[in-house]
Amino acid sequence: MPFGCRFQLRARSSEAKTNLSAIRTTEHSYRAEFGHYVAASPSPPTFGGTRPQPFADMGPAGAGFDTVGWKPEGLVYFQYAVVVAGEAYTADAVGDIDGDGILQHWGFLHPDATGASVAGALGCAGVW
């Protein structure tokens, strides 16, 4: 793979890591103020593969992200979701940034005080 292509794929992968970190920060801030985490439906409704998609933060797609006040800047290559079970939550992202049919999964898992966790909506079942 040419160097330029690898650089583009790394840059696109960094989108997921950056946005998951922002979702984590927003969820913890929301919990500090309102006492609970907020689940968020997958948004955009589908991931775009090699073509970025607009993020839907209102309505069925993205419901929950609008509640906590999080929205990424611009178009996104990944689909994002948050699953909450009591004091545990998982924020995950999935995409196919190189269009080869093999999905790339990223996630952040926050267990509750007992160590119990919840699987993500998009395939994240643990911390990688």
Side-chain angles (χ1 to χ4, degrees):
M1 180 180 297
F3 176 74
C5 292
R6 287 189 304 232
F7 181 75
Q8 287 178 343
L9 293 176
R10 272 186 285 199
R12 290 177 185 169
S13 291
S14 70
E15 171 206 301
K17 294 180 257 183
T18 299
N19 285 339
L20 287 170
S21 178
I23 292 168
R24 175 187 168 272
T25 300
T26 303
E27 286 284 352
H28 286 273
S29 295
Y30 189 89
R31 183 183 181 281
E33 187 170 348
F34 298 102
H36 64 279
Y37 297 113
V38 176
S41 302
S43 183
T46 61
F47 54 87
T50 60
R51 306 188 82 174
Q53 302 291 310
F55 186 81
D57 61 337
M58 304 296 270
F65 289 119
D66 55 335
T67 301
V68 297
W70 179 80
K71 181 177 181 176
E73 292 184 26
L75 302 175
V76 294
Y77 287 95
F78 287 83
Q79 183 181 41
Y80 299 91
V82 178
V83 175
V84 176
E87 292 299 309
Y89 75 89
T90 297
D92 53 351
V94 65
D96 183 11
I97 58 176
D98 57 2
D100 66 357
I102 299 171
L103 300 181
Q104 186 177 45
H105 292 270
W106 292 93
F108 177 80
L109 185 141
H110 176 77
D112 66 14
T114 68
S117 61
V118 59
L122 304 174
C124 179
V127 178
W128 299 295

